[in-house]
Amino acid sequence: KNILDRTQKEVVDLFQSLNPRRLMVSAPTSYGKTFLMRELVFLNRERYKNILLVFPTVALLLENARTMASFVKENHLDYQIIKTVDATLEDNNKIFVFTPERALQLIASFPDIKIDFFFFDEVYKIDEDYCGDELDEEDDQEKTVDEMNNNINFLDEDRGKTFRLALYLLSKSVPEYYLAGPNLNQDRFGLGMKRFLERNH
């Protein structure tokens, strides 16, 4: 019952037409990238038993876990929302809402778990060089000084390696996925990202 604008509908229709269903969406903040992720989950609810949603921070994890819990309840979906790796895993379908670190923990703790679909938010953060530069003028103008400093702190922690490792391992074992980021300039992608996109179709 949601209303999509023309470009959002194009994204959903394109994803649904692909085989395998893999897509990277580059769009400005507030475009609705996570909103579209929920649309894709709903449309594929019969196909996706276990879903992994990867967000860069714990704050985003908690916010999206709440949103997904409401989404599941409102649409009468049979999913258990999981936020921590040590949660009790029941037999029903699961939506894991994790940071990259927790995603790696899940892979290590449950090597036989079958994930049918994953969503990777802020995918540009796999590349410290890309993350350190301005994404686009408009995006930067909207950021406060605190947000810019948080971005620098993020890089100081060298989490890019964790992001890359999580994305690499998930893309090797999960057949379908949706990667999202702000306005990305493909000309600035490093060789690794270009190779990743090509090899994973």
Side-chain angles (χ1 to χ4, degrees):
K1 297 178 181 178
N2 287 330
I3 296 174
L4 307 177
D5 71 19
R6 182 178 55 82
T7 62
Q8 289 174 329
K9 187 171 187 314
E10 285 172 0
V11 169
V12 171
D13 289 346
L14 175 60
F15 185 86
Q16 291 296 98
S17 72
L18 296 172
N19 186 23
R21 295 176 186 179
R22 297 175 182 170
L23 196 62
M24 183 166 82
V25 173
S26 166
T29 305
S30 76
Y31 169 78
K33 296 182 287 285
T34 51
F35 167 76
L36 290 181
M37 173 270 293
R38 291 190 294 274
E39 285 293 299
L40 299 177
V41 167
F42 183 81
L43 291 172
N44 293 283
R45 60 195 180 280
E46 301 299 326
R47 302 174 64 243
Y48 297 157
K49 304 301 180 192
N50 289 322
I51 294 167
L52 173 60
L53 311 179
V54 182
F55 295 95
T57 65
V58 172
L60 279 171
L61 179 163
L62 295 173
E63 177 188 330
N64 282 282
R66 282 192 296 270
T67 303
M68 291 307 292
S70 298
F71 165 77
V72 165
K73 185 177 179 182
E74 288 166 9
N75 292 286
H76 311 289
L77 303 179
D78 181 30
Y79 286 107
Q80 176 188 4
I81 306 295
I82 309 285
K83 295 176 285 190
T84 59
V85 178
D86 56 1
T88 304
L89 301 184
E90 298 171 8
D91 287 338
N92 59 335
N93 304 338
K94 289 166 276 300
I95 297 178
F96 299 95
V97 189
F98 285 174
T99 58
E101 290 85 353
R102 291 184 193 182
L104 289 177
Q105 250 187 305
L106 178 72
I107 293 167
S109 301
F110 301 95
D112 296 328
I113 193 166
K114 183 180 183 299
I115 304 292
D116 301 298
F117 169 81
F118 76 86
F119 169 70
F120 205 103
D121 194 27
E122 303 291 344
V123 71
Y124 73 97
K125 289 186 175 179
I126 67 165
D127 184 346
E128 292 96 331
D129 294 332
Y130 200 109
C131 193
D133 295 335
E134 294 178 355
L135 290 173
D136 68 25
E137 202 172 305
E138 186 180 317
D139 206 38
D140 277 341
Q141 286 172 354
E142 293 175 6
K143 289 185 178 178
T144 65
V145 172
D146 285 341
E147 287 174 322
M148 294 294 243
N149 288 336
N150 284 341
N151 199 39
I152 292 165
N153 291 339
F154 169 88
L155 297 175
D156 288 344
E157 295 171 16
D158 197 21
R159 290 183 70 210
K161 290 177 184 174
T162 306
F163 274 62
R164 284 193 295 278
L165 190 56
L167 179 60
Y168 175 79
L169 292 174
L170 288 169
S171 66
K172 287 289 184 189
S173 61
V174 180
E176 299 188 350
Y177 45 90
Y178 164 34
L179 314 178
N183 284 342
L184 300 174
N185 181 346
Q186 289 188 39
D187 295 335
R188 286 175 44 207
F189 285 165
L191 179 61
M193 188 59 171
K194 289 177 180 174
R195 192 164 50 215
F196 174 86
L197 293 174
E198 182 182 341
R199 288 184 179 177
N200 291 284
H201 310 289

